[in-house]
Amino acid sequence: MDLLVEGIVQALAWKPLLFAVLGSFMGIIFAAIPGLTVSMGIILLLPFTFHMASVTSMSLLVGVFVGGMTGGSISAILINIPGNPAAIVTSLDGHPLARKGRAGVALGVAFFSSFLGGLFSLVCLVTIAPQLADFALKFGAPELASLVLLGLCLICGFAQTSMSKALISGILGLSFATVGMDPIDSIPRFTFSVVQIQQGVSFLPVMIGLFAVPEIISGMRGSAVSLPDFSTRLRDLLPSPGTLAGLWKTLAQSSLIGTTIGLLPGTGSAVAAVLSYNTAQRRSPEPESFGKGKLEGVSAPEAANSAMTGGAMIPMLTLGIPGDPVTAVMLGALTIQGLAPGPLLFESHGGFVFSIFGSFFIALFLTIIIALLGIRLFVQVLRVPPGLLFPSIAVFCVIGAFALQNSFFDVFLMIGFGLLGYFMQKFDYPIMPLLLAIILGPVFEKNARMSLILSDGDPGIFFRKPISLTFLALALVYLISVFLKRTSFWRERSRA
């Protein structure tokens, strides 16, 4: 308890507090602008931390991390262009709500869900970090491969009309995921002697292209759906206490899922968002309403996304194993400060560790305050004339795609996938399975092949591990349930 108080006092000093405010604001901005990401924000700010005190530097980076997990929902809800991979799922119900004139309510639910999810993961971080880290150690390559396979199977849940079209989209995404250097043998695959794609198809230009370019084309052609008028009064924009109270089950289960996924290195927020969204949809009395503007469809991925931050910091601090790219950069920042993450960090620098917890707590409050104060400004984006809005979005998209590797090839990649996304939407092929397969495919391939190497090619390794077997069973049950549901749907339709 004394260490907790000491850590909070250190985090509340004027310098760490000032940089926590700056970090939270920068995180929201980086995640909300199409083409920029939290990882990019952390990397750009890292050189400025070299000469800072350790508590101050971590306050800045934690602020960016927490703010970025919330800010990605802003562009996803308002203009259907996700700011981070998890916000891809948020856009499924968030943007339809904006089109119904409920953009403020959708943003409010996203902000509060993100705050409560992060708070849940912080409690886990403070109270049971060592125990949760021990659980994460039980996940080897077979368990991670089975978990990601479950996430890939859940892609079927994003089929609004045709299951076959969703599967085609997912298979196409897995095909793109194989482009680049082989993760095990380092042999070029499907690169056609193009050096720029030896590192694989980067998901950032793909994500920008698939979501932004179709919207830009539709907007410039005047075929974008016009948004209804809505009130800009703060009390009409924010969700009511009753609305938030009705989401408590979704918030609880999504926060638990997000924290658990954050514990597992190499999974990331996309897996957490997909699993939480599908769980909320399956447990809903009205699962068919998801994808049409359901508040639970906004709350679930945002709570899981934010909860993932605390979960990802647990293995980073207790084991020195980063849970995602952002915590990998934070791990580097700790090393630069002369601090070695691991069990000894809690013993030798206990006050500093708890100052990180304090910074996390402060960043959560700062983020929701900044987000709520700016909510009236955010919704005004919907009132910008399309002749100004869509060219501006196009400029940000080009800058974001180019800034990743300072490569015009990524800009052309963005345009190419954008045209693909436009025609997919035109012919009713869902984009979500394609993008999620590109993100999750490399993770699955790497862990699946490592598992087979460990077992000398014996696939039974996936069934001999209890945790892996559980995930495979869940995937099979889910696929069977989806098939039976679709079969009964078509039978009823044929009888009608």
Side-chain angles (χ1 to χ4, degrees):
M1 191 66 182
D2 293 338
L3 287 176
L4 179 61
V5 173
E6 179 185 347
I8 293 175
V9 170
Q10 289 185 35
L12 285 173
W14 74 270
K15 262 192 177 181
L17 185 60
L18 175 63
F19 280 94
V21 174
L22 177 62
S24 301
F25 179 76
M26 293 291 290
I28 292 174
I29 296 299
F30 267 95
I33 295 177
L36 302 182
T37 63
V38 183
S39 301
M40 187 184 298
I42 289 273
I43 292 169
L44 290 176
L45 292 175
L46 182 62
F48 296 98
T49 67
F50 292 170
H51 301 290
M52 292 182 182
S54 56
V55 176
T56 304
S57 65
M58 292 307 295
S59 295
L60 174 64
L61 299 180
V62 169
V64 175
F65 194 14
V66 174
M69 293 298 104
T70 300
S73 62
I74 297 173
S75 56
I77 291 172
L78 296 181
I79 54 178
N80 200 29
I81 303 175
N84 55 47
I88 297 169
V89 185
T90 305
S91 66
L92 288 174
D93 286 272
H95 191 60
L97 283 167
R99 294 198 179 281
K100 295 177 182 178
R102 304 185 66 195
V105 175
L107 287 172
V109 168
F111 295 157
F112 277 107
S113 299
S114 187
F115 170 76
L116 294 173
L119 197 61
F120 177 86
S121 69
L122 175 62
V123 173
C124 295
L125 183 63
V126 174
T127 56
I128 53 176
Q131 292 82 354
L132 290 176
D134 289 339
F135 173 70
L137 286 177
K138 297 179 181 178
F139 276 72
E143 289 82 4
L144 288 174
S146 300
L147 174 62
V148 177
L149 179 62
L150 173 60
L152 289 170
C153 291
L154 294 177
I155 285 174
C156 298
F158 294 113
Q160 299 295 330
T161 54
S162 171
M163 179 67 66
S164 60
K165 288 184 177 181
L167 290 174
I168 291 172
S169 178
I171 292 171
L172 184 62
L174 289 175
S175 301
F176 283 121
T178 62
V179 175
M181 302 293 287
D182 186 291
I184 304 297
D185 300 326
S186 297
I187 298 173
R189 302 182 304 189
F190 310 113
T191 59
F192 303 101
S193 301
V194 179
V195 177
Q196 288 88 341
I197 59 174
Q198 286 188 355
Q199 294 182 349
V201 177
S202 178
F203 82 88
L204 181 59
V206 172
M207 183 175 73
I208 297 170
L210 287 175
F211 282 92
V213 174
E215 292 291 328
I216 293 170
I217 294 174
S218 299
M220 296 302 290
R221 293 183 61 193
S223 57
V225 179
S226 59
L227 294 163
D229 293 332
F230 52 87
S231 171
T232 57
R233 292 184 300 179
L234 191 59
R235 65 182 181 183
D236 294 330
L237 292 174
L238 295 178
S240 65
T243 299
L244 293 174
L247 298 171
W248 74 269
K249 288 184 179 179
T250 300
L251 288 168
Q253 67 190 18
S254 299
S255 299
L256 181 60
I257 291 171
T259 303
T260 305
I261 295 300
L263 280 166
L264 311 177
T267 48
S269 58
V271 177
V274 171
L275 290 176
S276 62
Y277 184 90
N278 278 274
T279 302
Q281 186 177 23
R282 289 199 312 272
R283 296 191 174 184
S284 171
E286 300 176 338
E288 68 282 352
S289 62
F290 277 72
K292 301 175 183 177
K294 189 82 169 172
L295 287 177
E296 285 85 348
V298 175
S299 178
E302 286 303 309
N305 179 30
S306 187
M308 190 276 306
T309 58
M313 291 180 68
I314 292 172
M316 182 197 77
L317 291 173
T318 58
L319 303 173
I321 302 173
D324 71 332
V326 178
T327 50
V329 178
M330 295 174 69
L331 183 67
L334 285 174
T335 306
I336 291 169
Q337 296 289 339
L339 300 167
L344 295 178
L345 183 65
F346 284 77
E347 296 180 11
S348 56
H349 299 89
F352 169 72
V353 173
F354 279 90
S355 74
I356 296 177
F357 299 161
S359 297
F360 195 112
F361 181 71
I362 292 168
L364 284 172
F365 273 95
L366 290 173
T367 297
I368 193 170
I369 290 171
I370 294 170
L372 291 177
L373 290 177
I375 197 169
R376 290 185 64 179
L377 177 63
F378 298 147
V379 297
Q380 294 304 317
V381 172
L382 300 177
R383 297 195 186 277
V384 177
L388 294 176
L389 177 62
F390 291 107
S392 301
I393 293 173
V395 170
F396 279 121
C397 291
V398 171
I399 293 172
F402 177 80
L404 178 67
Q405 302 179 95
N406 294 330
S407 171
F408 281 106
F409 178 82
D410 286 335
V411 177
F412 296 128
L413 189 68
M414 176 198 73
I415 296 172
F417 272 93
L419 294 174
L420 174 63
Y422 175 76
F423 286 107
M424 286 180 68
Q425 287 186 356
K426 189 173 182 179
F427 293 101
D428 293 326
Y429 280 83
I431 289 176
M432 196 71 60
L434 170 65
L435 184 57
L436 290 175
I438 290 176
I439 295 173
L440 301 180
V443 181
F444 171 72
E445 182 189 7
K446 180 180 178 181
N447 286 286
R449 293 182 62 184
M450 286 179 62
S451 302
L452 293 174
I453 290 173
L454 291 172
S455 65
D456 291 328
D458 181 13
I461 189 173
F462 298 105
F463 303 97
R464 289 193 293 269
K465 303 280 187 176
I467 297 177
S468 174
L469 181 61
T470 301
F471 287 137
L472 292 176
L474 288 173
L476 181 62
V477 170
Y478 179 77
L479 289 175
I480 293 173
S481 66
V482 170
F483 176 76
L484 293 176
K485 187 183 297 183
R486 292 282 172 176
T487 303
S488 62
F489 170 78
W490 285 112
R491 284 177 180 173
E492 293 176 4
R493 188 168 180 178
S494 61
R495 288 174 185 172

